[in-house]
Structure formats: structure tokens, C-alpha cells
Amino acid sequence: MAQSVSAGNQTYHHGDLRTALVDAASQRIEREGIAALSLRKLADDIGVSRSALYHHFRDKNALLNAVAARGFDQWLSMTQDRDQAQNIKAHERLKQFVHGYIRWAIAHPQLYDIMFGRPIWKHKLADEELKEIAFPAFQYMLNLISDWQQQGLLLQNEPALRQTQVIWATLHGLAKLIIDGVYDDSAHIDDMCNCAVAMLLSQHRET
Amino acid sequence: MAQSVSAGNQTYHHGDLRTALVDAASQRIEREGIAALSLRKLADDIGVSRSALYHHFRDKNALLNAVAARGFDQWLSMTQDRDQAQNIKAHERLKQFVHGYIRWAIAHPQLYDIMFGRPIWKHKLADEELKEIAFPAFQYMLNLISDWQQQGLLLQNEPALRQTQVIWATLHGLAKLIIDGVYDDSAHIDDMCNCAVAMLLSQHRET
DNA sequence: GCATTTAATTTGACACTGTCAAGATTAACA
DNA sequence: TGTTAATCTTGACAGTGTCAAATTAAATGC
């Protein structure tokens, strides 16, 4: 009820249950976190029986994969949107990238958790689909970082791939430590981001 | 049975059940991962009833806290042991630190997950004890990094605290991405560590 | 040495969970 | 219209964490 199920043409038998499930799951997760996600409550939300789900997803995990995939999509388009802006110095772009990454993660903590959670990535068996969706996100980062490297912002003597992996790790680590409550002083988040930017720059110019 | 319960003086009523629980939990977690940890199986392992646990821990979460606390202890002493070695250049020490951190995390992936898992840190209510144990680990890192900064290895114009936070984030991010299977090419782990070291150094000398 | 208090442990029960097999219902297609 | 295939439901199973009340053993006071 009041679910975003392309209201109206409810064919009664199945009104695109698959995306309805992903919708409902995403909402509930953003609100109450992943730990509180019960398939049965989900089914209740949509008004369908508890095991209808299994005709669209092999697993609870498969459903979470779909949620995560949507997360990567969302992240990528917000990043690309931001980078549309023109007349911005490379140095400023890098700064925006770092701050933007952390800000997005903090704004969607539960989703972020699922996107990188162990159960999803650990079993290679699971979902080539997710890899195909997450890969462009990584690729986009790699391109950005290659550019910055060529412009002399970053180190020259390390491969762009490795630097991308390390920079992503830095962002991911910051995001996780903040989200998980290890770094619990939210007043200094911007400071940490700025420090990260300063440490990345090969020239170490002043901000 | 065959549990490491200071065998012998089993007072039958209670033979230090608390540490026996933490022992058994640690073992089972290292072997089968946290997802497969059931309190009831745990109780069976020790030969005690399923709810005996609740007289020593408020929660399943409280038990995990104890496991995590032990992890921080373990990490700190392995780090300190390594740093006992003398006649090592600061630059080499930094390199060892990075590689050592990642190696330890990979060697104890499940334990590492618990040490930083959300449920443990999120609710401040839970366990000041854990904070008191995790803090020295952070403090130790902070000292190391302050030294390296004073020796000119790291940036001068950023506070040591911030740099520690960022460096820890880098290590944590790397560890998590590897453990969780996002970076699944284990052949390049050392390369990533070396790249991280190179990026940290303010002088960007060649390795 | 016995009685009483206190701590440790167990039993029974509750409300959940994810998942599956078998049956019912509806859409799609020939 | 009749048949096939997809979709959804019901009933059930084996788990889970947690709690209240009852049981047992240790510790303490006299």
C-alpha cells in the first residue's frame, strides 16, 4: 500500500513484483538498517505471501545484491552529475571528489554497508550481474585518477591502477570508520577529508 | 571437553565459564566466520545449557565485544613485538607497519571483521571496556606517526592526529576491501601496500 | 556443622527467522 | 478453448536469541 509500484495497472497476479521487492527492501533498509530486514515483513509491506520472493530471487542474498547494484548506479550517477560542472580546476575536482564520496556514504550508511558487505562479494558464485554494475564505478574512478596523474597532481612513478586502489581504500576506510561509529566525532569529518586530500597531492601545496 | 579451560580444577558448578565462552567463540569464529556463530552451538561445545551465557554477558553482542577486545590486545602485542627490533631505518619501519597491518588482517579476517563491525561500535551504550582496550592501539599508531612526522617522513603541515586517522583509514580500507573480496586478486596485495607507502612519504623517494 | 543468603545453571517457552515442497491460481499461447 | 508455463500461497521445518521461573551448588554467618 502506498508502495511505489507504478500504481494503477496492478494486474493482481503480479505487478512487477521483482522491482517492487527491491524498492521496498531499499526503503526499509535505509530506514531501519540491514539487521532489521526481514523477508516476511517485506512481503507484508507489499501485500504478498512470505515465499513469493523466491520466484524472483534465489536467496535473501540475491535480493541484497539487487539493492547493492542499485546503490552503485546511484553513486555513479551522482558522481557523474557533479563532474558535469565546468571550469573547475583539477585540484578542486579532487577535493570535491573526496568530500563527495564521504558525504554520500554518510548520507546512505545502510546502503553503503550492503554495497561492500562481505556476504555479497565473498562468494564469487553470486551474481556476475553485480560485478558488471560495480565495475563501471571503479572504472570511472580510474579514469579520474589517471587524468589527475597526467596533470601532475598525483605521483608519477606509481601505476594509476595501484593508486586508484589505494585512494579508493582510503575513502572506503574513512567511510567505514565513520559509518560504523569508530570515528564518532562528526565535527572533524571535513578536516579528515582535507587532510586526505593534502596527503594525496604530490606537490603538497597549501589549501 | 578438550576446551582450554585450565583443565583440572573443574569446580563443576562453574569453571570460569566466562573466559571459556570467549575462548570457544573465538575459535569457532576464526574457523567458520561470524555468520555461523550460534550461541546454542557454543553452549554445546562447552557442555553447558543454552542460556547459561546470560549470567556472564548481557547479550550476544556483549560476548562479541569481549572477542573483539581480545583481538585488539593481540594486534597490539604483535605490533609491539615487531617494533622491538632495533637498527631499522624509520622508512623501513613504516613499510613494515603497512605490510604487517594488512598481513595480520588477512590472517585473521573474521576476527578483524568483529573488531570493527558496526554493531559493536555503533551503540555507545555498549561496553566502555572495549573502548579502553582499543584506545591504546590507536594511541600506539599515533605515536609512531608522530615520530615519522618529526623525522620528516610524513607531511609537516597537517596535525599528527589527522594524519593518523587518514593513514589508519587507508589501512582499514585496504584490509576490508581485500577481506570482503572486492579486491580479489591476492597476487597484488604487496604491490598495493608498496604503493600506499610510496604515496604516504612526503619526499616520494624511490623504494 | 547447620541455616540462610547469594550466585550459577537449567528447563520450558516465546516470537522470530530463512527456506522449501506441494498445491492453487492466473496469465500466455497454440 | 485447452494446454502449458509462470506466479503466488499454505503448511511445515529447523534454526535463532532471549527471558522467566525453577533448580542446583557455593559462600557466608552463627
Side-chain angles (χ1 to χ4, degrees), chain B residues 64-100:
Chain B
L64 294 185
N65 269 19
V67 175
R70 193 179 277 193
F72 278 102
D73 255 0
Q74 213 174 307
W75 180 87
L76 187 55
S77 57
M78 92 91 186
T79 304
Q80 286 172 328
D81 283 357
R82 173 167 39 65
D83 289 350
Q84 292 290 359
Q86 314 229 323
N87 295 331
I88 297 185
K89 282 192 195 154
H91 169 263
E92 192 62 28
R93 273 217 151 82
L94 171 55
K95 188 175 167 185
Q96 274 188 14
F97 183 77
V98 170
H99 284 264

Coordinates of all heavy atoms in Angstrom, one line a residue, chain B residues 64-100:
Chain B
L64 N 30.5 -10.7 21.8 CA 31.4 -10.4 20.6 C 32.3 -9.2 21.0 O 33.5 -9.2 20.5 CB 30.5 -9.9 19.5 CG 29.6 -11.1 18.9 CD1 28.9 -10.6 17.6 CD2 30.5 -12.3 18.5
N65 N 31.8 -8.3 21.9 CA 32.7 -7.3 22.3 C 34.0 -7.9 23.0 O 35.1 -7.4 22.8 CB 32.0 -6.4 23.4 CG 31.3 -5.3 22.7 OD1 31.0 -5.3 21.5 ND2 30.9 -4.3 23.5
A66 N 33.7 -8.9 23.8 CA 34.9 -9.5 24.5 C 35.8 -10.1 23.5 O 37.1 -10.0 23.7 CB 34.4 -10.5 25.5
V67 N 35.3 -10.8 22.5 CA 36.1 -11.3 21.5 C 36.9 -10.2 20.8 O 38.2 -10.4 20.5 CB 35.3 -12.1 20.4 CG1 36.2 -12.6 19.3 CG2 34.6 -13.3 21.1
A68 N 36.3 -9.2 20.4 CA 36.9 -8.0 19.8 C 38.0 -7.5 20.6 O 39.1 -7.2 20.1 CB 35.9 -7.0 19.4
A69 N 37.7 -7.3 21.9 CA 38.7 -6.7 22.8 C 40.0 -7.6 22.8 O 41.1 -7.1 22.7 CB 38.1 -6.7 24.2
R70 N 39.8 -8.9 22.8 CA 41.0 -9.8 22.8 C 41.7 -9.6 21.4 O 42.9 -9.6 21.4 CB 40.5 -11.2 22.9 CG 41.6 -12.2 23.1 CD 41.0 -13.6 23.2 NE 40.5 -13.9 24.6 CZ 40.2 -15.1 25.0 NH1 40.3 -16.1 24.1 NH2 39.8 -15.3 26.2
G71 N 41.0 -9.3 20.4 CA 41.6 -9.1 19.1 C 42.5 -7.8 19.1 O 43.7 -7.9 18.6
F72 N 42.0 -6.8 19.7 CA 42.9 -5.6 19.8 C 44.1 -5.8 20.6 O 45.2 -5.4 20.3 CB 42.1 -4.4 20.4 CG 41.2 -3.7 19.4 CD1 39.8 -4.0 19.4 CD2 41.7 -2.8 18.5 CE1 39.0 -3.3 18.4 CE2 40.9 -2.2 17.6 CZ 39.6 -2.4 17.6
D73 N 44.0 -6.6 21.7 CA 45.1 -6.9 22.5 C 46.1 -7.7 21.7 O 47.3 -7.3 21.7 CB 44.6 -7.9 23.7 CG 44.6 -7.1 25.0 OD1 45.0 -5.9 25.0 OD2 44.3 -7.8 26.0
Q74 N 45.6 -8.7 21.0 CA 46.5 -9.5 20.1 C 47.2 -8.6 19.1 O 48.4 -8.8 18.9 CB 45.6 -10.5 19.4 CG 46.2 -11.9 19.2 CD 45.1 -12.8 18.6 OE1 44.0 -12.9 19.2 NE2 45.4 -13.4 17.5
W75 N 46.5 -7.8 18.5 CA 47.1 -6.9 17.4 C 48.2 -6.0 18.0 O 49.3 -5.9 17.4 CB 46.0 -6.0 16.8 CG 46.5 -5.1 15.7 CD1 46.6 -5.4 14.4 CD2 47.0 -3.8 15.9 NE1 47.2 -4.3 13.7 CE2 47.4 -3.3 14.6 CE3 47.1 -2.9 17.0 CZ2 48.0 -2.1 14.4 CZ3 47.7 -1.7 16.8 CH2 48.1 -1.2 15.5
L76 N 47.9 -5.4 19.2 CA 48.8 -4.5 19.7 C 50.1 -5.2 20.1 O 51.2 -4.7 19.8 CB 48.2 -3.8 21.0 CG 49.1 -2.7 21.6 CD1 49.4 -1.7 20.5 CD2 48.3 -2.1 22.8
S77 N 50.0 -6.4 20.7 CA 51.2 -7.1 21.1 C 52.0 -7.6 19.9 O 53.2 -7.5 20.0 CB 50.9 -8.2 22.1 OG 50.1 -9.1 21.6
M78 N 51.3 -8.0 18.9 CA 52.1 -8.4 17.7 C 52.8 -7.2 17.1 O 54.0 -7.3 16.7 CB 51.3 -9.1 16.6 CG 50.7 -8.2 15.6 SD 51.6 -8.0 14.1 CE 50.7 -6.7 13.2
T79 N 52.2 -6.0 17.1 CA 52.8 -4.8 16.6 C 54.0 -4.4 17.4 O 55.1 -4.1 16.9 CB 51.8 -3.7 16.5 OG1 50.7 -4.1 15.7 CG2 52.4 -2.5 15.8
Q80 N 53.8 -4.4 18.7 CA 54.9 -4.0 19.6 C 56.1 -5.0 19.5 O 57.2 -4.5 19.5 CB 54.4 -3.9 21.1 CG 53.5 -2.7 21.3 CD 52.8 -2.7 22.6 OE1 52.5 -3.8 23.2 NE2 52.6 -1.6 23.2
D81 N 55.7 -6.2 19.4 CA 56.8 -7.2 19.3 C 57.7 -6.9 18.0 O 58.9 -6.9 18.1 CB 56.2 -8.6 19.1 CG 55.8 -9.2 20.5 OD1 56.0 -8.5 21.5 OD2 55.2 -10.3 20.5
R82 N 57.0 -6.7 16.9 CA 57.7 -6.4 15.7 C 58.6 -5.2 15.9 O 59.8 -5.2 15.4 CB 56.8 -6.2 14.6 CG 57.5 -5.8 13.3 CD 56.6 -5.8 12.1 NE 55.2 -5.5 12.2 CZ 54.8 -4.3 12.5 NH1 55.6 -3.3 12.7 NH2 53.5 -4.1 12.6
D83 N 58.1 -4.2 16.5 CA 58.8 -2.9 16.6 C 60.0 -3.0 17.7 O 60.7 -2.0 17.8 CB 57.9 -1.8 17.0 CG 56.9 -1.4 15.8 OD1 57.2 -2.0 14.7 OD2 56.0 -0.7 16.0
Q84 N 60.1 -4.1 18.4 CA 61.2 -4.3 19.3 C 62.5 -4.2 18.5 O 63.5 -3.8 19.0 CB 61.1 -5.6 20.0 CG 59.9 -5.7 21.0 CD 60.1 -4.8 22.2 OE1 61.2 -4.1 22.4 NE2 59.2 -4.8 23.1
A85 N 62.5 -4.8 17.3 CA 63.7 -4.9 16.5 C 64.4 -3.6 16.4 O 63.8 -2.5 16.2 CB 63.4 -5.5 15.1
Q86 N 65.7 -3.6 16.5 CA 66.5 -2.4 16.6 C 67.2 -2.2 15.2 O 67.2 -3.0 14.3 CB 67.5 -2.4 17.7 CG 66.9 -3.0 19.0 CD 67.2 -2.1 20.2 OE1 68.3 -1.6 20.3 NE2 66.3 -1.9 21.1
N87 N 67.9 -1.0 15.2 CA 68.7 -0.7 14.0 C 67.9 -0.8 12.7 O 68.3 -1.5 11.7 CB 69.9 -1.7 13.9 CG 70.8 -1.4 15.0 OD1 70.9 -0.3 15.5 ND2 71.5 -2.4 15.4
I88 N 66.7 -0.3 12.7 CA 65.9 -0.3 11.5 C 65.6 1.1 11.1 O 65.1 1.9 12.0 CB 64.6 -1.1 11.7 CG1 65.0 -2.6 11.9 CG2 63.7 -1.0 10.4 CD1 63.8 -3.5 12.0
K89 N 65.8 1.5 9.9 CA 65.5 2.8 9.5 C 64.0 3.1 9.6 O 63.2 2.3 9.4 CB 65.9 3.0 8.0 CG 67.4 3.2 7.8 CD 67.7 3.7 6.4 CE 69.2 3.5 6.1 NZ 69.4 3.4 4.6
A90 N 63.7 4.4 9.8 CA 62.3 4.8 10.0 C 61.5 4.5 8.8 O 60.4 4.0 8.8 CB 62.2 6.3 10.3
H91 N 62.1 4.7 7.6 CA 61.4 4.4 6.4 C 61.1 3.0 6.3 O 60.0 2.6 5.8 CB 62.4 4.8 5.2 CG 61.9 4.4 3.9 ND1 62.3 3.2 3.3 CD2 60.9 4.9 3.0 CE1 61.7 3.1 2.1 NE2 60.9 4.0 2.0
E92 N 62.0 2.1 6.7 CA 61.7 0.7 6.6 C 60.6 0.3 7.7 O 59.8 -0.6 7.4 CB 63.0 -0.1 6.9 CG 63.0 -1.6 6.7 CD 62.7 -1.8 5.2 OE1 63.1 -1.0 4.3 OE2 62.1 -2.9 4.9
R93 N 60.7 1.0 8.8 CA 59.7 0.7 9.8 C 58.3 1.0 9.3 O 57.3 0.2 9.5 CB 59.9 1.6 11.1 CG 60.9 1.0 12.0 CD 60.4 1.3 13.5 NE 60.9 0.3 14.4 CZ 62.1 0.3 14.9 NH1 63.0 1.2 14.6 NH2 62.4 -0.7 15.7
L94 N 58.1 2.1 8.6 CA 56.8 2.5 8.1 C 56.4 1.4 7.1 O 55.2 1.0 7.1 CB 57.0 3.8 7.4 CG 55.8 4.3 6.5 CD1 54.5 4.3 7.4 CD2 56.0 5.7 6.0
K95 N 57.3 1.0 6.3 CA 56.9 -0.1 5.3 C 56.5 -1.3 6.0 O 55.5 -1.9 5.7 CB 58.1 -0.3 4.4 CG 57.8 -1.3 3.2 CD 59.0 -1.4 2.3 CE 58.8 -2.6 1.3 NZ 60.0 -2.8 0.5
Q96 N 57.2 -1.7 7.0 CA 56.9 -2.9 7.8 C 55.5 -2.8 8.4 O 54.7 -3.7 8.5 CB 57.9 -3.1 8.9 CG 59.1 -4.0 8.5 CD 60.0 -4.3 9.6 OE1 59.6 -4.2 10.8 NE2 61.2 -4.8 9.3
F97 N 55.3 -1.6 8.9 CA 54.0 -1.3 9.6 C 52.8 -1.6 8.6 O 51.9 -2.3 9.0 CB 53.9 0.1 10.1 CG 52.7 0.4 10.9 CD1 52.5 -0.1 12.2 CD2 51.7 1.1 10.3 CE1 51.4 0.2 12.9 CE2 50.5 1.4 11.0 CZ 50.4 0.9 12.3
V98 N 52.9 -1.0 7.5 CA 51.8 -1.2 6.5 C 51.6 -2.6 6.1 O 50.5 -3.2 6.2 CB 52.1 -0.3 5.2 CG1 51.1 -0.6 4.1 CG2 52.0 1.2 5.6
H99 N 52.7 -3.2 5.7 CA 52.6 -4.7 5.3 C 52.1 -5.5 6.5 O 51.3 -6.4 6.3 CB 54.0 -5.1 4.8 CG 54.3 -4.7 3.4 ND1 54.1 -5.4 2.3 CD2 54.8 -3.5 3.0 CE1 54.4 -4.8 1.2 NE2 54.9 -3.6 1.6
G100 N 52.7 -5.2 7.7 CA 52.3 -6.0 8.9 C 50.8 -5.9 9.2 O 50.1 -6.9 9.5

